[in-house]
Amino acid sequence: MNAVTTDALWTLIDRTRPADGSPEAHAVAITNELVEAGASAAQTFDAAFTSALDALCSWDLWGAGALLLGGCSDDSFEYVRCWIIGRGRDRWELARLDPERLCVELLADTDREEALVIERIEDLWLLDGEPLLYAAAVALDRLGVERAARTAPPPEPTGAPWDEDDLDERFPRLRDALPPGWWDDARDIESIDGPVTIQVGFTVQGPAMDVIDLLVTGVDAFAAGDHTTCVEALGPIVSDPDRWRWVEHSGHDPVTVAYAVGMSWFIVGDPDAAARSLALVADGDATPDHVRRGMAQVHLARGDLEGAALLLQERSRSPMIEHALRTTLLQRAGEHGAAARTARKLLRLRRIPGVSPHPWDLAGVLVQIGFVFVELGDAKRALSCADSIDGLTRDAPVELPLPAQGRTIRAGALRLLGDHDAALALLEVLVDTSGHGTCDRGLVERELARVHRATGDPRAAEVYRTAATTFLAAGERWLAQDVAGESAAD
């Protein structure tokens, strides 16, 4: 397969690679440089990266990677190829020409003692270059340029397909560099009740319950915005100490797992379960920033504004979502002037250094400040948020709550503008489609009660009570108390 790569591709990859090799930081640095360079450079990089990725699509690389890592799904294979590209041209060339040698070299600096080899393999389970896959697309989105569609489907792997039973014979150099019987042992995970033992390095006591499948299902569901499925898959793992101890040996980052199910629990309406999950990976001052922000959201839901304030950092270079959560905190604390100033700044800038580039992340920020604008009576800016949320989530899956949240904000803005009929029509659809007992359902009901009150409809009091009950069921104690107070006020 001929790969059309460019010197510019490899120069940019080498220049932006962080010292710690983090793919996330690498992707952000590439995106920032492409935005500065302009649309043409971003399109050229995108095409060259895709070509380099396709050139690594071979059965030999996939098989050698599967043998080294104890398995490699099709998604994992794509992310490993991205990681290889991120290492630079020399590694990429070696992966094309002699993938077995590349895998052996990844173990080359390791002491031959078996435990150390296994420890090195566990480190290599983190060969996930997925963020690099989206760097050019994010740059083009920020430049307002539509990404060109592929002119041909992704290629099928080149070379001769392999059978799992033959991998150790197909790659003898790699087999000899691995612990004896590695491939057979790495696959020997019994999906039955009872102890699970992998002879090459760790033991998990308790029911296995297909832990690997549950981890993959749950993490993928969270990434797709399907929070119900995420809770169903990961809830049994984080709730069982035996299964939880196994996570660190599974190739999944425990912080990622705990955060995914914690925030999914929060979104489906169980902040207390969310707090328990996030606490698994909280470690005082060493708590990861996104986990800290998740804990702050739990405090906000519970009405512990002081606790939330202690967790949210007031720094100019904090990620955009941090500022958005502080805006919500300021509004709930009655500091409306400061809340309005911060929300207007976020709406104007749309980006603060450190922000995650994913469109859904930006939509989440706009949801936070959009509801603040509604509460402050700023219909124009609330509508601007709703319009942007629509654009950012146009192709989102139906499970993602952000589009419905944006429509609730739109209904609030329409009410503020006096267009009660349009607001009511939108809310009636949202009531029929939002999940019972969730915060999102409560927000819709609260807005519906406000429209009824504005039009003199006597149903307002009843709908206010329903909204308060819904907020309580969702663990949103602050909102439940606030809507009850609003209902009582004339």
Side-chain angles (χ1 to χ4, degrees):
M1 180 184 299
N2 293 322
V4 183
T5 65
T6 64
D7 289 339
L9 168 78
W10 301 114
T11 298
L12 179 56
I13 283 175
D14 289 342
R15 184 171 65 248
T16 55
R17 187 185 304 112
D20 64 0
S22 164
E24 292 84 359
H26 199 178
V28 169
I30 290 172
T31 295
N32 290 340
E33 289 221 11
L34 291 177
V35 170
E36 277 193 37
S40 178
Q43 290 167 331
T44 300
F45 178 92
D46 192 22
F49 189 94
T50 300
S51 180
L53 186 69
D54 291 349
L56 295 182
C57 190
S58 71
W59 283 111
D60 276 351
L61 180 58
W62 197 345
L67 179 58
L68 172 64
L69 302 175
C72 187
S73 69
D74 50 357
D75 285 343
S76 296
F77 180 46
E78 183 175 44
Y79 303 154
V80 166
R81 286 183 284 147
C82 290
W83 181 87
I84 291 170
I85 294 172
R87 299 306 92 197
R89 176 178 269 163
D90 290 345
R91 287 293 196 185
W92 175 77
E93 288 283 10
L94 182 57
R96 292 179 65 205
L97 300 174
D98 193 348
E100 183 180 14
R101 178 183 165 190
L102 171 69
C103 291
V104 170
E105 287 188 359
L106 290 174
L107 297 173
D109 296 332
T110 305
D111 190 293
R112 287 297 299 153
E113 184 180 340
E114 182 173 312
L116 296 178
V117 174
I118 293 168
E119 182 177 335
R120 172 61 173 158
I121 294 169
E122 290 174 355
D123 290 339
L124 294 176
W125 281 343
L126 304 179
L127 301 185
D128 185 347
E130 182 184 10
L132 300 174
L133 191 61
Y134 311 118
V138 172
L140 290 167
D141 182 67
R142 283 167 50 183
L143 290 165
V145 177
E146 186 173 350
R147 187 185 190 190
R150 285 187 69 115
T151 57
E156 292 295 319
T158 59
W162 41 262
D163 186 278
E164 288 188 349
D165 293 334
D166 301 327
L167 278 180
D168 52 355
E169 294 301 322
R170 181 158 172 168
F171 302 106
R173 288 175 292 165
L174 179 56
R175 176 199 63 207
D176 292 344
L178 291 165
W182 163 255
W183 179 239
D184 291 334
D185 288 336
R187 293 183 296 160
D188 188 22
I189 303 175
E190 298 293 338
S191 299
I192 58 174
D193 287 347
V196 178
T197 302
I198 301 180
Q199 297 298 330
V200 293
F202 52 87
T203 301
V204 182
Q205 300 299 325
M209 200 179 168
D210 287 327
V211 175
I212 291 180
D213 290 340
L214 289 173
L215 286 168
V216 171
T217 298
V219 172
D220 287 351
F222 178 74
D226 185 354
H227 300 289
T228 299
T229 298
C230 179
V231 165
E232 291 173 350
L234 300 183
I237 295 175
V238 298
S239 301
D240 183 330
D242 289 332
R243 294 191 182 97
W244 175 247
R245 282 193 293 271
W246 194 89
V247 170
E248 65 181 284
H249 299 293
S250 69
H252 284 80
D253 176 20
V255 172
T256 298
V257 175
Y259 180 78
V261 68
M263 296 314 296
S264 290
W265 253 321
F266 180 79
I267 290 168
V268 302
D270 193 344
D272 293 333
R276 291 193 296 272
S277 179
L278 295 172
L280 291 171
V281 291
D283 185 20
D285 293 339
T287 299
D289 285 343
H290 61 303
V291 173
R292 174 178 51 77
R293 289 189 288 271
M295 295 169 68
Q297 288 179 264
V298 171
H299 284 301
L300 285 171
R302 291 169 163 174
D304 182 4
L305 303 186
E306 291 184 1
L310 290 173
L311 289 167
L312 294 174
Q313 299 177 357
E314 190 173 6
R315 297 184 305 187
S316 61
R317 294 186 63 82
S318 294
M320 199 173 188
I321 186 60
E322 187 118 8
H323 291 272
L325 290 171
R326 283 194 57 80
T327 303
T328 299
L329 172 64
L330 290 168
Q331 180 265 315
R332 292 188 178 186
E335 299 181 40
H336 294 164
R341 287 191 297 273
T342 305
R344 288 196 296 266
K345 180 179 179 181
L346 290 174
L347 184 61
R348 183 174 67 252
L349 295 180
R350 298 290 175 89
R351 186 176 71 85
I352 288 177
V355 67
S356 172
H358 198 290
W360 296 354
D361 292 332
L362 180 54
V365 169
L366 292 169
V367 163
Q368 290 282 335
I369 65 173
F371 280 117
V372 168
F373 283 131
V374 170
E375 295 308 297
L376 297 179
D378 191 336
K380 179 181 177 181
R381 290 186 174 86
L383 273 179
S384 178
C385 289
D387 289 341
S388 296
I389 294 165
D390 281 349
L392 291 164
T393 61
R394 186 171 292 115
D395 299 323
V398 295
E399 297 87 358
L400 192 71
L402 293 170
Q405 292 166 345
R407 289 191 285 273
T408 305
I409 293 169
R410 184 180 300 280
L414 292 171
R415 171 183 56 81
L416 292 169
L417 293 170
D419 193 349
H420 299 132
D421 289 341
L424 187 60
L426 187 54
L427 291 166
E428 286 175 344
V429 172
L430 289 168
V431 165
D432 289 338
T433 56
S434 57
H436 289 279
T438 64
C439 178
D440 289 342
R441 176 62 172 260
L443 292 169
V444 172
E445 292 167 345
R446 180 182 67 174
E447 194 52 54
L448 183 59
R450 289 172 171 176
V451 173
H452 286 329
R453 170 173 279 184
T455 58
D457 190 319
R459 290 177 293 176
E462 178 185 350
V463 180
Y464 268 124
R465 286 193 294 271
T466 301
T469 301
T470 299
F471 282 136
L472 278 177
E476 293 282 350
R477 299 164 198 167
W478 191 94
L479 286 170
Q481 184 176 356
D482 185 63
V483 79
E486 182 178 320
S487 174
D490 291 325

